[in-house]
Amino acid sequence: MWEMFSKMVKDKKEYRQMMARVKALPEDYQFVFEKMQKYMWNYAAGDGYDMLKIHYELIDLFETGAADGKQVLEITGRDVAGFCDELLRNAKTYADDWREKLNREIIEKIEKGNTL
């Protein structure tokens, strides 16, 4: 029980630190990050750690871009949703869960000889 509580406190602290880094970015970067974050959380599955890892890497990328004087869309391109989808490519998402469930249910039904 204590380990779970400690982990929750640590995770919350890391999240606050992450968001403080976002708040230090130029306003356009903050706006785009928050929109992207909201979009990507819609697809998060499992414990969400894949998503946090992606967000940390995105903050690193945005900090570098801002430091180099780039506009945020120079980093993401105009298809920001497509950029997000590429970031999500290696993350565990609900879409993965839905695909796995569909395939599992069909295979189990068919392989048991219970065809319709």
Side-chain angles (χ1 to χ4, degrees), residues 56-110:
Y56 290 142
E57 291 170 355
L58 181 60
I59 293 168
D60 290 342
L61 183 63
F62 276 14
E63 286 173 335
T64 301
D68 291 345
K70 292 183 179 179
Q71 296 296 315
V72 68
L73 293 181
E74 290 180 73
I75 295 169
T76 63
R78 296 186 65 79
D79 182 6
V80 180
F83 184 84
C84 290
D85 293 342
E86 278 299 312
L87 293 175
L88 292 170
R89 187 175 297 267
N90 295 320
K92 180 86 169 140
T93 66
Y94 281 124
D96 295 331
D97 291 345
W98 297 327
R99 280 199 265 330
E100 290 170 14
K101 180 180 179 191
L102 173 67
N103 289 333
R104 183 179 59 252
E105 288 176 353
I106 290 171
I107 297 301
E108 287 174 358
K109 180 79 170 173
I110 300 299

